[in-house]
Amino acid sequence: MDLINPANIEAIITDVDGTLLLPNSTLSEETISVVRNVIERYPNLHFFFATGKNQEATTHLRDTLFPGSIRQGIPGVFMNGGLSFGGSGELLHSVQLPVAVSLENFEFAEKLGLVLCFYSLGRVLSTRHSNFTEFHLHQELKEPLVEIVEPHTLKRMIETGEFVVYKLIYCCDENQDISIGTEGSDEESTAENVSKKCDKNIWYLKKMLETKLVSKAGVDFKITSALSFVLEVLPIGSGKKDAISKVLENINCNSKNVLAFGDGEN
C-alpha cells in the first residue's frame, strides 16, 4: 500500500481513550504541543475525534488542543459512531439503540442488581449509584455526571421515547461477584485484586449477555469493551467507519487523504 503524501493530508482523526490520552485519562504536554503545532502550521487541516465518549466529555480536550476555537465548528464522531457532527457542528447522523434492546438490558440489570448506565445526548442515567461511575466515568473520563432515577421512572422514559438511548455501559462493581451472583468475598481490596475481579466480572457478564439476550428474537445489538472494567452495548448499524465517512463527505475530504489513529478494536 502506498504511503500518503504529507502534502495531501486533509484530515487527522483520532480515538481518545487509549490513543490520544495517557492511561490516567489526561493529555501529555508532548501531545498538546504536537497537535497545536500541526494545527498552527496547517490551518486548513481538519482534526477531530472519533470516540465512544459523549460529545460533552471531550469539551475540555478541545479547549486544550484548540484554544480560541469555536467548539461548535469542530466535526466529530461520538458514542462509537452513534452520533456524528459536521464541520459547522450540525448533527449529521444518529443511530439509536432500539427501545426493546434498552428495556431487555434494563430488566436484566435490575434482576441481577448491576450498575447499568444509559447514554443519551449530553445525559447519562442509571438506577444505581456507585463510586465507579462517580469517580471514573465522571471525574476521570469527564462523562456527564450520572443522574440516578427510580427504576419505574427510567423504564417509563425509555418506553415513551422521552429519553433516547444511544448506548449502554455496564460498569464493574468490585463488591459483586457476577460469576456466582453473590456479594464478593472479604478479600483484601488491593488495586490488583479489584482489577482481577473486574476482569472476571466483565468476562462473565459478556457471556451472560450473549447467551441470554443476544439470541432473543428481535433483540439485536453488539457488545464491545474498550476498557477492561466496562462493557458497552451498541446498536446494530452504528460504527465509527460509517460515521466518519459521513463527516468526511460533509467537510469535503477524500478518505484517501486522511490519517487515523486508534487502539484496540479501532
Side-chain angles (χ1 to χ4, degrees), residues 70-91:
I70 300 176
R71 290 199 302 271
Q72 290 79 2
I74 300 176
V77 171
F78 304 93
M79 306 277 199
N80 293 102
L83 291 167
S84 55
F85 295 85
S88 299
E90 72 277 24
L91 179 63

Side-chain angles (χ1 to χ4, degrees), residues 4 9 16 45 55 65 127 135 178 199 201 247 257 265:
I4 187 172
I9 297 175
V16 176
L45 179 74
Q55 186 182 33
L65 295 174
T127 62
F135 175 73
I178 294 176
D199 287 344
N201 277 345
V247 174
N257 298 328
E265 296 182 5

Side-chain angles (χ1 to χ4, degrees), residues 8-258:
N8 295 333
I9 297 175
E10 300 176 39
I12 296 176
I13 309 167
T14 181
D15 176 43
V16 176
D17 294 311
T19 302
L20 186 69
L21 301 183
L22 295 169
N24 64 357
S25 300
T26 63
L27 288 164
S28 71
E29 291 300 323
E30 182 178 11
T31 296
I32 295 172
S33 176
V34 168
V35 173
R36 285 182 177 179
N37 286 338
V38 168
I39 296 302
E40 182 178 351
R41 185 173 179 180
Y42 305 98
N44 295 323
L45 179 74
H46 294 280
F47 189 106
F48 64 91
F49 307 135
T51 175
K53 288 179 174 292
N54 209 313
Q55 186 182 33
E56 285 70 13
T58 65
T59 298
H60 67 295
L61 301 178
R62 288 175 285 162
D63 287 344
T64 300
L65 295 174
F66 321 122
S69 297
I70 300 176
R71 290 199 302 271
Q72 290 79 2
I74 300 176
V77 171
F78 304 93
M79 306 277 199
N80 293 102
L83 291 167
S84 55
F85 295 85
S88 299
E90 72 277 24
L91 179 63
L92 297 177
H93 184 66
S94 66
V95 183
Q96 303 170 10
L97 200 63
V99 171
V101 173
S102 295
L103 292 176
E104 288 286 351
N105 279 273
F106 168 82
E107 299 291 353
F108 176 78
E110 287 300 304
K111 183 177 179 180
L112 293 180
L114 304 177
V115 178
L116 178 60
C117 295
F118 295 74
Y119 275 64
S120 190
L121 185 59
R123 297 181 71 189
V124 182
L125 302 185
S126 182
T127 62
R128 288 178 175 79
H129 171 80
S130 75
N131 291 331
F132 179 87
T133 56
E134 169 67 26
F135 175 73
H136 192 76
L137 288 186
H138 180 58
Q139 295 185 30
E140 279 196 341
L141 298 183
K142 307 303 181 185
E143 294 285 4
L145 182 64
V146 177
E147 303 171 46
I148 306 301
V149 295
E150 292 293 330
H152 68 275
T153 300
L154 179 55
K155 184 177 181 180
R156 174 186 56 76
M157 292 173 71
I158 295 172
E159 289 176 331
T160 60
E162 178 183 345
F163 187 79
V164 177
V165 180
Y166 292 98
K167 77 171 185 177
L168 306 174
I169 285 187
Y170 285 91
C171 301
C172 170
D173 183 352
E174 65 272 19
N175 295 316
Q176 188 178 46
D177 191 338
I178 294 176
S179 64
I180 57 177
T182 63
E183 294 300 309
S185 68
D186 293 329
E187 185 179 38
E188 184 182 358
S189 185
T190 64
E192 182 179 3
N193 286 338
V194 168
S195 178
K196 287 181 179 178
K197 188 174 291 185
C198 281
D199 287 344
K200 183 176 70 171
N201 277 345
I202 292 299
W203 186 86
Y204 273 102
L205 179 56
K206 185 173 186 293
K207 293 299 180 183
M208 292 172 71
L209 287 175
E210 290 173 343
T211 57
K212 294 180 180 296
L213 295 186
V214 174
S215 60
K216 276 195 170 185
V219 180
D220 299 320
F221 57 88
K222 54 186 178 181
I223 304 170
T224 185
S225 182
L227 301 170
S228 63
F229 36 77
V230 298
L231 203 63
E232 299 186 34
V233 175
L234 304 170
I236 296 293
S238 72
K240 291 183 180 180
K241 181 180 178 181
D242 290 341
I244 287 173
S245 295
K246 288 179 172 57
V247 174
L248 293 179
E249 181 180 357
N250 175 264
I251 60 179
N252 297 314
C253 283
N254 188 328
S255 61
K256 294 182 179 180
N257 298 328
V258 171

